Amino acid sequence: MKIENLYPEKVFHYFSEISKIPRGSNKEKKISDWIVEFAKERNLKYYTDSKFNVVIWKDASIGYEDKEILGFQCHIDMVCEKRPEVEHDFRKDPIKLILEGDILSTGNRTTLGADDGIGVAMAMAILEDKNLKHPPVDVILTTAEEEDMSGALNINKSWFNTNRLINIDHVVDTEIIAGSCGGVGVDLKFPVEHTKKTDNYKGYQIKISGLRGGHSGEDIHKGRANANVLLANLLNLLREKINFLISDLKGGNFRLAIPREAHVTVALEEKDIDILKNIVKNFESEAKKIYEETAVDLKIEVSAENLAENLLSKNTVDKIIDAIILSPNGVSSMIGSLNVVESSCNLGEIYIKENHVYLVTEIRATFDKNRDYIYNKIALIGKYLGGELRAFSAYPSWVYKAHSNLRDTANKVYSEIFGENIKTLAVHAGLECGCFVDKIQGDMDAISIGPNAWDLHSPNERLSVSSTEKVYKFLTKVLENLD
């Protein structure tokens, strides 16, 4: 079966079209312009702003004119991650979709962009369908969600004509989300010292690959290895046995994705090469035991590599290793009653740029106090190692509320359609609902839903076709049954 023939036809038609348009965070003009043309062609009222956010209004169907307006919200950008060996330019290349049974993916080549392209496709299908029964609908499509939520944070209050909102950006079709955490990015950098390469040094690259990666919020509690942390632990073992310097260092690609790869080029004397290889071999064997369920393809390879003329000094090498090992990473605290992660951090990137080493972390927390606690830990590392700290891309949490009329309606509809109750919970991921709390008049009444999808923010991202059909049916029935 062709992707265009999947059901619901319009949902998968628009997802296929969206997938042809590059839409990395802060590069959404093309997709924004395409959505505007969609609105123009259907004589729908719309507005766009300097951030390329788009809002589209659709009048109520006959008999629903007196109903309260319902808002839909999705983000039009996507995380751009690929396997190292894959040639793909996210600035111009379309996402190549592969259908295998019920699963839509890219064949593990690049991120799929179902986060949140499938939500956008559902919203567009609702806007186009003239046979649906529904109240007046506002669809708000935002930019830069995967980077800093600046699109949602900069939306004008006038865009909100209602206090009830459905966010289509979840990944489990048996759940309603009613709260999410806030977050902030943190750069820790410190200057490097160099020393000249000498003739007795040989260069070897140590490369960690084959990790599963994943979403730094949704997957942080699933026991997945962080390539940056593994690399630091390995380097810590090496410095106990041999002397070495560093020529090059890189780990991870994006602070919101658990790092799948990391590599370092070390300079050492020829007499120490066998020791290096033995330590790496033993470390790989132990790591495979620890992560046998979550990193079945883990590899740590050693290969000869050219050295730069200037190497990082021993003092700098020690600082790098110390900083990574001391950096908080993983789950920090839980919300016991919900069995949900409350706060965590992901050491997503390490790299060298312009004579500085950078460690880039994403902190997530429902409560500001716990976010500040983790931030202060990183600040102390900077203080003792002579580094500088910068916080950026902060976004607010969406605090769970015990009562919601919209949630009650959704619960009732789900039970009537599928004969079972839907779960309600808060998630350890940042959803844009938190950005709208102060923009909406009165108390915001919001939920987040979405079809089954897995391994977001990684090339293993997958989407269930049957679940997409289920959620779209659920969504349209909620529209029909709203007061």
Side-chain angles (χ1 to χ4, degrees):
M1 181 182 289
K2 293 182 178 180
I3 292 168
E4 292 81 1
N5 296 332
L6 295 174
Y7 186 81
E9 293 95 339
K10 284 298 182 182
V11 172
F12 284 103
H13 164 75
Y14 285 119
F15 183 65
S16 181
E17 292 299 305
I18 289 166
S19 299
K20 298 174 184 177
I21 306 170
R23 60 187 198 282
S25 301
N26 297 316
K27 297 178 179 66
E28 302 98 339
K29 186 178 188 305
K30 287 184 180 179
I31 185 70
S32 180
D33 290 347
W34 183 79
I35 291 168
V36 166
E37 287 303 312
F38 164 91
K40 287 180 179 178
E41 290 169 3
R42 290 154 184 80
N43 295 316
L44 295 170
K45 295 178 181 178
Y46 72 92
Y47 184 78
T48 185
D49 63 13
S50 61
K51 293 285 186 180
F52 304 115
N53 298 305
V54 182
V55 59
I56 303 174
W57 297 281
K58 183 182 182 184
D59 293 335
S61 60
I62 295 173
Y64 284 71
E65 296 89 348
D66 294 333
K67 303 281 187 180
E68 183 185 344
I69 298 168
L70 175 69
F72 286 107
Q73 189 270 319
C74 319
H75 64 86
I76 62 177
D77 62 317
M78 65 174 282
V79 167
C80 298
E81 284 276 302
K82 69 180 185 69
R83 292 201 179 279
E85 69 275 11
V86 172
E87 292 186 7
H88 185 95
D89 188 341
F90 284 102
R91 297 170 298 179
K92 62 180 182 180
D93 295 340
I95 301 297
K96 296 179 181 179
L97 306 178
I98 294 176
L99 179 64
E100 295 177 304
D102 185 54
I103 300 299
L104 197 58
S105 74
T106 66
N108 301 331
R109 292 171 54 82
T110 71
T111 36
L112 175 65
D115 177 14
D116 186 26
I118 199 63
V120 177
M122 286 188 185
M124 295 179 78
I126 287 170
L127 286 169
E128 184 172 64
D129 194 335
K130 296 180 181 179
N131 296 317
L132 289 178
K133 298 176 182 178
H134 61 82
V137 169
D138 295 352
V139 172
I140 296 175
L141 305 173
T142 56
T143 57
E145 191 269 356
E146 301 289 10
E147 180 59 43
D148 56 10
M149 296 199 186
S150 56
L153 289 168
N154 282 278
I155 280 180
N156 193 286
K157 291 181 179 180
S158 64
W159 285 29
F160 292 94
N161 299 305
T162 178
N163 75 325
R164 59 184 187 178
L165 185 74
I166 298 179
N167 166 279
I168 316 173
D169 193 16
H170 187 44
V171 293
V172 182
D173 67 13
T174 57
E175 297 174 350
I176 286 177
I177 300 306
S180 62
C181 69
V184 63
V186 182
D187 271 343
L188 171 61
K189 72 172 185 177
F190 46 89
V192 300
E193 300 169 347
H194 287 103
T195 186
K196 284 287 184 181
K197 179 180 70 173
T198 58
D199 292 338
N200 63 322
Y201 276 128
K202 302 292 182 181
Y204 281 85
Q205 184 187 78
I206 304 170
K207 180 181 179 182
I208 297 176
S209 63
L211 302 183
R212 190 169 177 177
H215 190 292
S216 65
E218 295 279 1
D219 300 320
I220 199 70
H221 63 293
K222 295 180 180 178
R224 298 183 184 178
N226 180 312
N228 294 336
V229 174
L230 280 183
L231 183 62
N233 286 333
L234 175 54
L235 292 176
N236 189 44
L237 286 175
L238 286 173
R239 71 175 169 178
E240 293 175 1
K241 301 295 184 181
I242 60 176
N243 293 317
F244 66 89
L245 301 178
I246 287 178
S247 175
D248 179 48
L249 175 70
K250 174 76 168 66
N253 299 304
F254 188 40
R255 73 182 195 283
L256 301 182
I258 299 170
R260 304 185 316 277
E261 296 106 15
H263 68 262
V264 62
T265 300
V266 296
L268 70 164
E269 295 182 20
E270 194 164 2
K271 66 180 178 64
D272 291 327
I273 292 171
D274 287 342
I275 299 174
L276 167 72
K277 290 181 178 180
N278 285 332
I279 291 174
V280 170
K281 182 180 179 180
N282 291 333
F283 185 87
E284 180 189 47
S285 177
E286 290 299 316
K288 284 182 174 180
K289 291 177 184 177
I290 295 169
Y291 298 105
E292 64 177 349
E293 293 183 0
T294 59
V296 293
D297 297 321
L298 168 63
K299 288 193 300 185
I300 307 179
E301 301 165 292
V302 178
S303 59
E305 185 68 44
N306 293 328
L307 295 173
E309 286 300 318
N310 292 316
L311 306 175
L312 301 186
S313 70
K314 180 66 167 63
N315 182 50
T316 298
V317 169
D318 285 338
K319 279 188 176 182
I320 292 171
I321 298 170
D322 291 350
I324 299 172
I325 288 177
L326 291 170
S327 288
N329 181 77
V331 175
S332 178
S333 63
M334 302 285 292
I335 300 176
S337 59
L338 297 175
N339 195 30
V340 171
V341 179
E342 187 280 325
S343 57
S344 74
C345 51
N346 176 58
L347 179 53
E349 294 179 78
I350 52 174
Y351 60 89
I352 301 169
K353 182 181 178 182
E354 297 175 352
N355 294 320
H356 284 80
V357 175
Y358 288 81
L359 279 65
V360 187
T361 298
E362 176 73 4
I363 300 174
R364 298 177 184 268
T366 302
F367 301 106
D368 290 349
K369 289 291 184 182
N370 286 338
R371 178 199 63 198
D372 295 344
Y373 170 71
I374 298 172
Y375 178 87
N376 287 335
K377 282 187 175 183
I378 301 173
L380 285 173
I381 297 169
K383 175 182 176 181
Y384 290 115
L385 295 179
E388 299 176 36
L389 209 62
R390 178 180 72 97
F392 63 97
S393 300
Y395 56 91
S397 60
W398 166 28
V399 178
Y400 173 86
K401 292 185 177 180
H403 179 69
S404 159
N405 290 329
L406 179 58
R407 199 163 72 230
D408 288 346
T409 299
N411 288 338
K412 182 173 181 291
V413 169
Y414 188 93
S415 178
E416 289 174 353
I417 297 174
F418 304 113
E420 60 183 12
N421 294 326
I422 193 168
K423 298 175 185 176
T424 299
L425 68 158
V427 291
H428 190 62
L431 292 173
E432 290 163 293
C433 297
C435 302
F436 305 137
V437 172
D438 294 334
K439 298 177 185 292
I440 290 176
Q441 292 185 357
D443 288 335
M444 182 178 75
D445 190 0
I447 61 174
S448 178
I449 61 173
N452 293 340
W454 304 270
D455 291 327
L456 309 184
H457 298 188
S458 86
N460 299 324
E461 184 182 0
R462 306 179 308 287
L463 172 72
S464 167
V465 172
S466 60
S467 178
T468 301
E469 178 183 353
K470 175 185 176 182
V471 170
Y472 190 68
K473 180 180 181 180
F474 172 45
L475 194 59
T476 53
K477 284 296 182 182
V478 169
L479 274 173
E480 186 176 331
N481 283 272
L482 285 169
D483 294 330

